[in-house]
Amino acid sequence: MEFKNVLLEKEERIAILTINRPKALNALNKDTLLEIKAAVEEVRDDNDIYVLIITGAGGKAFVAGADITYMLEMNAQEGREFGLLGQEVFRLIESIEKPVIAAIDGFALGGGCELAMACDFRICSDKSKFGQPEVGLAVTPGFGGTQRLPRIVGTGMAKQLLYTGDVIDADEALRIGLVNYVVDDLMDYVKKLARKIASRGQVAVRYCKVAVNDGMQTDIDRAMTIEADLFGLCFATDDQKEGMKAFVEKRKAEFIGK
Ligand code: CAA
């Protein structure tokens, strides 16, 4: 697919997906969602890529939401379908077996906050702002915000943000656990982090994602079984042999990603 609204760059083991509609503060219309989907599928299927970073172009916004102009004339059926498309694309991001980091520099509002929350974790610059301002437009969040926000920050804080539509700054996002770190030199920091993750045993990294995601959706006993199964499967990899052998031989492990 030829991309018009996103950029997909690859640097060694890292892919960087940039939402690229800076004039509309990277707002998400249907075409942009479909391009994100195609780009994430490409990353998922590219065995040379270990980690995906998602960011926004223009230095002002990560993503300022679903495209309000695009939604203006929608009826109930069209609204539902647009919501389902956003949910499908963000669920894909959440469920690909590769780490996905949101690098946020500016507004992450509505669908933008929802996109960030579908990533494994969020790192932002100090000028970033977060919120689910949808009630101010008289709609609910539609791309997973009512479900992921309470899972990340707890139901009480999520409900306050959802009901008020308040926009919070980076320090408040850090305080409530919506972002992991507020940093200077955002892309340098996130790329370094991505390279560190890419240097680890990749099957183990992927299994960590699966274990957390699947385990958090079920009861603790079933979750422990999920962990035991994945832990066991690691011992069927070349990297496990190399990782433990390298430790015993006091040298740096050379992983091959399987
Ligand atoms: N959709 C469409 N266009 C948008 C947009 C959006 N979500 N956000 C910003 N833009 C456009 C503006 O219309 C403007 O375009 P023009 O230059 O053609 O007028 C351009 O981006 C720049 O924006 P502003 O002039 O408004 O910039 P600002 O610095 O004054 O304000 C802002 C920045 C506070 C982020 C403001 O743009 C804003 O409030 N945006 C909307 C945020 C929002 O409500 N998001 C939720 C959308 S609904 C949703 O996401 C539903 C869902 O869950 C699926």
Side-chain angles (χ1 to χ4, degrees):
M1 182 188 235
E2 200 188 315
F3 298 133
K4 295 201 181 90
N5 302 291
V6 307
L7 301 168
L8 183 62
E9 298 157 283
K10 297 179 183 175
E11 295 176 11
E12 291 176 38
R13 298 291 186 188
I14 317 296
I16 303 173
L17 172 59
T18 305
I19 317 303
N20 189 28
R21 297 183 70 211
K23 281 190 187 143
L25 300 188
N26 306 322
L28 303 172
N29 56 16
K30 184 177 175 185
D31 287 349
T32 309
L33 285 172
L34 290 173
E35 289 185 24
I36 294 172
K37 182 177 181 212
V40 172
E41 285 170 343
E42 182 178 328
V43 168
R44 178 195 61 195
D45 298 339
D46 186 337
N47 291 334
D48 292 333
I49 295 297
Y50 288 177
V51 183
L52 172 62
I53 298 168
I54 299 184
T55 193
K60 189 168 168 188
F62 175 69
V63 166
D67 190 319
I68 298 167
T69 317
Y70 180 75
M71 293 183 292
L72 189 62
E73 303 290 344
M74 280 182 183
N75 62 29
Q77 177 63 23
E78 289 162 342
R80 185 170 192 277
E81 279 168 15
F82 189 49
L84 285 172
L85 174 64
Q87 287 184 356
E88 180 199 336
V89 176
F90 292 4
R91 193 80 184 103
L92 174 73
I93 292 168
E94 189 169 54
S95 56
I96 61 164
E97 289 184 18
K98 293 183 185 184
V100 185
I101 309 171
I104 300 151
D105 186 23
F107 293 107
L109 301 177
C113 193
E114 291 168 303
L115 171 59
M117 290 191 293
C119 300
D120 291 304
F121 54 83
R122 292 145 291 285
I123 309 288
C124 76
S125 67
D126 68 355
K127 72 169 195 277
S128 299
K129 300 230 186 299
F130 300 81
Q132 297 291 158
E134 284 90 341
V135 289
L137 301 165
V139 293
T140 63
F143 296 165
T146 61
Q147 303 310 308
R148 291 197 180 91
L149 189 59
R151 282 168 168 79
I152 294 170
V153 304
T155 50
M157 183 56 77
K159 284 176 175 170
Q160 182 172 337
L161 290 170
L162 291 165
Y163 300 170
T164 59
D166 278 352
V167 171
I168 58 172
D169 65 18
D171 285 340
E172 180 65 358
L174 179 66
R175 196 187 68 80
I176 67 172
L178 185 55
V179 299
N180 285 4
Y181 291 98
V182 181
V183 298
D184 302 327
D185 298 329
L186 178 71
M187 284 318 283
D188 273 3
Y189 181 95
V190 174
K191 280 185 195 174
K192 235 179 247 169
L193 192 57
R195 281 196 288 270
K196 182 189 279 186
I197 294 169
S199 75
R200 307 307 194 200
Q202 284 313 292
V203 176
V205 169
R206 287 170 197 176
Y207 286 173
C208 284
K209 178 166 179 173
V210 173
V212 173
N213 283 4
D214 291 359
M216 291 297 285
Q217 305 302 326
T218 188
D219 65 275
I220 188 77
D221 290 320
R222 170 84 197 110
M224 289 301 176
T225 307
I226 291 171
E227 184 187 82
D229 290 347
L230 291 166
F231 181 63
L233 282 173
C234 291
F235 290 82
T237 66
D238 293 333
D239 280 351
Q240 175 271 327
K241 307 272 174 292
E242 166 64 8
M244 293 193 180
K245 204 160 170 263
F247 175 82
V248 171
E249 292 170 2
K250 301 191 188 306
R251 61 174 173 81
K252 196 172 177 295
E254 298 205 359
F255 292 130
I256 57 171
K258 53 188 184 171

